[in-house]
Amino acid sequence: APAGGLPPTDPSQMMETLMSNPEQLNSMVKMMKQNPDMMKSMLGAQFGGGSGGQGADKAKVEQMEKAIDQFAKMDDKQLEKYLKMANTVQTVTKPVLNTFKATKNM
C-alpha cells in the first residue's frame, strides 16, 4: 500500500478522508458554496478534464459538478443543517469504517 503524504485522488478515498475529518468536510462544503467554479475547475484538473478524459472520469466530474451546484444553491440555514447532519453521520460511521478497514487489511 502506498504510504505517501499526498491527498488521495480516488473519489472513494477522498470521501473516506472527508468522512473521518469533520473540519475538512465543513471547509470543503463551504468552499463549494462560496466558489463553485473554482471547485469545478479543480475537479476537471483532478480527473484529466483537459485531455479529452475517459468516459468514466467525465461522468464522475459531471456528477460531482451537479453536487457542487446543489451546495451553491443552498442558503446558509440549509447548509448548516446539512453539515450538522453530515457530522452526525461521521460520528456514527467512523467506527464502522475503522472496523471495515481493519478486516480489509487482514
Side-chain angles (χ1 to χ4, degrees):
L6 297 174
T9 54
D10 178 353
S12 62
Q13 288 177 327
M14 288 168 52
M15 281 309 296
E16 189 176 318
T17 301
L18 289 172
M19 290 305 287
S20 63
N21 187 334
E23 295 82 22
Q24 205 172 14
L25 176 69
N26 291 357
S27 69
M28 182 172 167
V29 169
K30 287 178 181 175
M31 189 186 311
M32 278 191 253
K33 179 169 174 42
Q34 292 167 356
N35 199 341
D37 292 332
M38 182 186 76
M39 291 299 292
K40 288 178 185 179
S41 69
M42 285 171 47
L43 279 174
Q46 186 82 26
F47 293 102
S51 60
Q54 294 93 7
D57 285 350
K58 187 176 181 190
K60 285 179 190 175
V61 170
E62 286 174 6
Q63 188 175 11
M64 290 178 168
E65 284 181 350
K66 284 181 185 177
I68 290 169
D69 288 338
Q70 290 300 314
F71 284 114
K73 291 177 188 171
M74 285 184 185
D75 64 32
D76 289 340
K77 207 171 197 174
Q78 288 175 309
L79 189 62
E80 288 303 318
K81 194 174 182 180
Y82 170 81
L83 289 173
K84 195 179 274 188
M85 188 247 340
N87 289 327
T88 301
V89 169
Q90 282 181 330
T91 306
V92 172
T93 59
K94 190 172 185 175
V96 175
L97 284 173
N98 289 340
T99 303
F100 176 72
K101 245 192 263 183
T103 58
K104 190 172 80 171
N105 294 332
M106 291 178 128

